Amino acid sequence: MRMRNIISCTQSNKQLTLREKVGQLFMPSAFINDTEEEIQKLEKLISNQDVGSLCFFHSRASAATNFEGVKAVVHNENSYETLKSLIKRYQKAAKYPLLIAIDAEWGLAMRIENTPQYPYAITLGALADDQSDLIYKVAENIAKDCRAAGIHWNLSPCVDINNNPDNPVIGYRSFGADKNKVTEKALAFIKGTQSAGILTSIKHFPGHGDTATDSHLTLPLIDKSKEELFENELYPFQKLIDEGVDSVMVGHLSVRALSGGKIQSSSLSKKIIKGILREHMGYKGVVISDALNMHAVAKNHPLKGELEWLAFDAGNDVLCFAEHIAEGIETILKNASQEQIEESFERVWKLKVHTQVSSSSSSSSSRPSSSSSSSLTSNSNLISPNTLNRKIAVESLTLYKGSAKLISDFRETDFLGACFPEKMDNQFFKNINPNIAFKSISSFDGVLKERANILLALFPPQVKPTHKFGFAKEELIFINELIQTKNVVLYLFGNPYVLNHINYEKTKAVVIAYQNFEVFQEIAAEHFMGNLEAKGKLSVKIRA
């Protein structure tokens, strides 16, 4: 839905009451698969409290809100159409136009099934420096999909530096371990997003990469010196702020070197937001909190309205996933100065005006033309990711260990194909079978009794490192025994940090494909057949 015209919006800026201005700072969650009763409740909240923005999630049982994974996520084939319909309803309920946000780091598919999915940031991090145009195009396509749905704000990219292999919440969402490459690739993503008139947010300030704690559950502690932080974690933020960014999202993590020695979430720290981010780093734009329902902060502030006030007072302009809107507004009005409210409001309102300008200038060019219908997904106004994903698969494929010559020689042997824990009819083996006759097997005992040369394809059940990426204990034991006793060429279709759990040093070769998409499997098969070169370079460090 198009936001209301620019002139009326800028004029209304002077007409809002102080209470309405405080309401504009709140960004409650909106769930695509809510009940009608829950939808009507949010409509009333928007109308009664003059809420300024919404952040969309799949459902109340989705990963971002269902911390312990107790509730099963129910899939809805019509989530995309439901999303568009809800945005129209919520905009209609609002007195002033809403900013609609979503986490779409790798596309709308991060929150909505049956929508385009692009590779994770860790995959894009494997691209050569001269392939930034592919990252730009990914971000541009995602932004166009956002526009087609009625979304204005993609809360990405992550500019956290991937320097802890056990990180349960960042990891694959980071471009890598090198601060310069993270900065360059994030900048390409930002520029691609901005080209389609969509807002971005760099996150999670002051850097969530070096922790093994999930801030959804508890408060991570980062004990580094101020000098170390500015040298590494804060480097991408500073460089991107200097380039000009729409917003900065502050994470929930304790960084005592920046908070004056206090164990306190950065999202609630005046020293970090007002001191480091604004004064020291010179940032003048919108600051948005990470979700305020996350246990790192929420469980410590049970009094309704208190957390919202503390987050605002610390320097956040937008209070994301605030759960106590009415109480938060009252507490802010009671404690804040008018000047404090006006400053935050002006920054947020400026984003709204900017979004309306972008909507007007790019509405005709941001949607696919009717002549390009062959490149669309089943949702007719979304762009198919297939061609772009194929290019990324080719350019990111990484030969981590071994050589092309070694794989060529292996291909001439009487080898066996083994795959865990995926079914044996995977696309990787399918694309090899027509050219080379080889036997594939998934039985543990069967593989050990078979021939000496094994082509091993690993498909990690999950992308996060918790519970060893979803591999069963007996599976890892078997995989390591296989590598120890056979001549193994390994193709990994998932998070490269899986290698930390296997004896990959004993393999003959390791090739990392990063994603389990069919197109990535097809490209990996082409590589195994000797038809293309692996050009990618792993962007993180694996334990030796």
Side-chain angles (χ1 to χ4, degrees):
M1 177 178 178
R2 188 82 62 85
M3 296 179 78
R4 301 178 189 109
N5 67 69
I6 304 164
I7 297 176
S8 64
C9 186
T10 53
Q11 286 177 339
S12 296
N13 177 12
K14 307 299 181 183
Q15 299 170 4
L16 272 73
T17 66
L18 197 62
R19 174 179 290 276
E20 288 175 330
K21 290 179 179 180
V22 174
Q24 289 293 300
L25 310 180
F26 282 81
M27 177 187 277
S29 56
F31 299 97
I32 298 165
N33 292 295
D34 261 352
T35 64
E36 179 61 27
E37 180 182 0
E38 290 164 333
I39 292 168
Q40 291 182 17
K41 184 178 179 180
L42 181 53
E43 286 177 318
K44 290 179 181 177
L45 180 69
I46 292 167
S47 177
N48 295 340
Q49 304 299 337
D50 298 296
V51 165
S53 53
L54 295 177
C55 185
F56 269 91
F57 295 86
H58 179 269
S59 64
R60 295 177 186 268
S62 63
T65 57
N66 184 27
F67 307 115
E68 286 78 30
V70 176
K71 300 176 182 176
V73 177
V74 177
H75 292 276
N76 175 2
E77 297 296 311
N78 298 314
S79 285
Y80 176 69
E81 292 302 326
T82 302
L83 167 68
K84 291 197 297 180
S85 175
L86 285 176
I87 289 174
K88 291 177 182 178
R89 283 187 63 169
Y90 293 142
Q91 288 286 16
K92 188 176 180 180
K95 183 177 181 181
Y96 305 104
L98 294 165
L99 276 177
I100 306 297
I102 199 167
D103 294 296
E105 295 166 22
W106 54 87
L108 291 179
M110 184 170 174
R111 296 288 183 240
I112 312 164
E113 58 264 81
N114 296 329
T115 56
Q117 180 174 353
Y118 295 88
Y120 299 130
I122 198 170
T123 310
L124 301 179
L127 297 171
D129 293 343
D130 62 358
Q131 296 296 322
S132 290
D133 60 314
L134 292 177
I135 300 175
Y136 180 101
K137 189 62 180 176
V138 165
E140 182 184 37
N141 283 5
I142 293 172
K144 288 179 178 179
D145 287 345
C146 285
R147 292 187 61 79
I151 294 165
H152 316 106
W153 201 351
N154 184 359
L155 300 178
S156 62
C158 291
V159 300
D160 307 293
I161 294 174
N162 201 345
N163 47 14
N164 190 322
D166 298 320
N167 195 312
V169 68
I170 303 300
Y172 66 102
R173 299 165 64 191
S174 165
F175 290 110
D178 182 271
K179 63 183 182 182
N180 293 299
K181 293 185 183 297
V182 168
T183 303
E184 292 164 6
K185 293 177 190 301
L187 183 59
F189 191 98
I190 290 167
K191 289 187 177 297
T193 305
Q194 291 174 338
S195 72
I198 295 298
L199 302 171
T200 60
S201 186
I202 57 175
K203 60 187 184 184
H204 305 80
F205 185 86
H208 209 312
D210 196 7
T211 175
T213 302
D214 187 347
S215 55
H216 290 92
L217 303 174
T218 190
L219 184 66
L221 304 177
I222 296 180
D223 277 324
K224 289 187 173 182
S225 69
K226 192 172 182 179
E227 292 71 25
E228 287 177 303
L229 292 165
F230 271 98
E231 177 68 23
N232 203 47
E233 274 81 359
L234 290 167
Y235 179 88
F237 288 98
Q238 184 67 75
K239 289 294 183 181
L240 295 170
I241 285 170
D242 293 343
E243 289 282 343
V245 294
D246 299 311
S247 64
V248 175
M249 178 180 285
V250 182
H252 304 311
L253 54 153
S254 173
V255 190
R256 289 187 288 188
L258 303 180
S259 63
K262 189 175 182 180
I263 296 180
Q264 179 186 40
S265 175
S266 48
S267 56
L268 305 180
S269 172
K270 292 181 185 180
K271 287 186 178 292
I272 290 178
I273 299 176
K274 293 182 177 180
I276 299 297
L277 180 57
R278 292 217 183 274
E279 294 179 15
H280 188 94
M281 299 177 70
Y283 180 60
K284 306 297 183 185
V286 167
V287 175
I288 177 173
S289 73
D290 205 348
L292 291 178
N293 74 324
M294 291 166 62
H295 290 186
V297 290
K299 68 180 181 181
N300 299 320
H301 301 282
L303 182 63
K304 293 182 179 181
E306 179 184 67
L307 177 58
E308 288 78 5
W309 155 246
L310 291 173
F312 171 73
D313 192 43
N316 292 284
D317 303 308
V318 176
L319 307 176
C320 181
F321 214 136
E323 294 191 305
H324 308 296
I325 310 291
E327 296 88 349
I329 291 173
E330 291 298 330
T331 310
I332 290 172
L333 285 170
K334 178 181 177 181
N335 293 290
S337 67
Q338 181 170 345
E339 180 183 11
Q340 187 179 6
I341 293 169
E342 293 285 0
E343 285 179 358
S344 284
F345 169 75
E346 288 296 334
R347 284 190 285 264
V348 173
W349 199 262
K350 185 178 179 180
L351 271 194
K352 291 197 171 188
V353 174
H354 171 76
T355 299
Q356 291 183 33
V357 172
S358 299
S359 296
S360 299
S361 62
S362 59
S363 59
S364 60
S365 61
S366 64
R367 304 290 183 89
S369 65
S370 57
S371 61
S372 64
S373 59
S374 62
S375 69
L376 304 182
T377 65
S378 58
N379 290 311
S380 62
N381 54 352
L382 299 179
I383 304 169
S384 170
N386 295 341
T387 300
L388 186 53
N389 281 351
R390 178 172 289 276
K391 291 178 181 178
I392 295 169
V394 169
E395 298 295 334
S396 64
L397 189 73
T398 302
L399 178 59
Y400 182 65
K401 182 180 184 292
S403 65
K405 173 67 166 56
L406 190 152
I407 294 176
S408 176
D409 291 344
F410 178 91
R411 196 170 59 243
E412 300 302 318
T413 68
D414 183 24
F415 67 90
L416 174 75
C419 177
F420 296 94
E422 193 86 346
K423 295 178 180 179
M424 300 311 297
D425 62 350
N426 64 75
Q427 199 63 43
F428 177 54
F429 283 169
K430 283 181 179 179
N431 278 45
I432 295 173
N433 267 323
N435 303 284
I436 296 178
F438 73 101
K439 181 180 178 183
S440 59
I441 193 167
S442 60
S443 162
F444 287 5
D445 293 335
V447 176
L448 290 175
K449 292 176 182 177
E450 283 282 349
R451 59 208 77 171
N453 299 320
I454 306 292
L455 174 61
L456 177 61
L458 291 186
F459 293 82
Q462 63 187 47
V463 71
K464 294 183 179 181
T466 49
H467 308 297
K468 297 182 179 179
F469 297 93
F471 280 109
K473 181 180 179 181
E474 59 271 20
E475 287 177 328
L476 288 175
I477 291 173
F478 171 75
I479 289 167
N480 281 316
E481 183 178 356
L482 192 65
I483 292 172
Q484 195 74 28
T485 59
K486 305 287 185 178
N487 298 319
V488 173
V489 169
L490 168 63
Y491 278 74
L492 174 57
F493 298 94
N495 194 323
Y497 279 131
V498 167
L499 295 175
N500 284 331
H501 297 281
I502 62 177
N503 298 322
Y504 71 89
E505 301 94 337
K506 300 292 184 179
T507 62
K508 296 299 180 182
V510 175
V511 181
I512 305 172
Y514 300 97
Q515 309 284 158
N516 62 9
F517 302 172
E518 284 192 0
V519 66
F520 278 76
Q521 295 182 51
E522 292 167 2
I523 294 303
E526 286 293 305
H527 175 265
F528 179 75
M529 294 300 299
N531 297 330
L532 58 84
E533 176 188 357
K535 303 176 184 178
K537 184 176 181 181
L538 185 62
S539 66
V540 298
K541 295 179 181 178
I542 302 299
R543 297 189 187 109

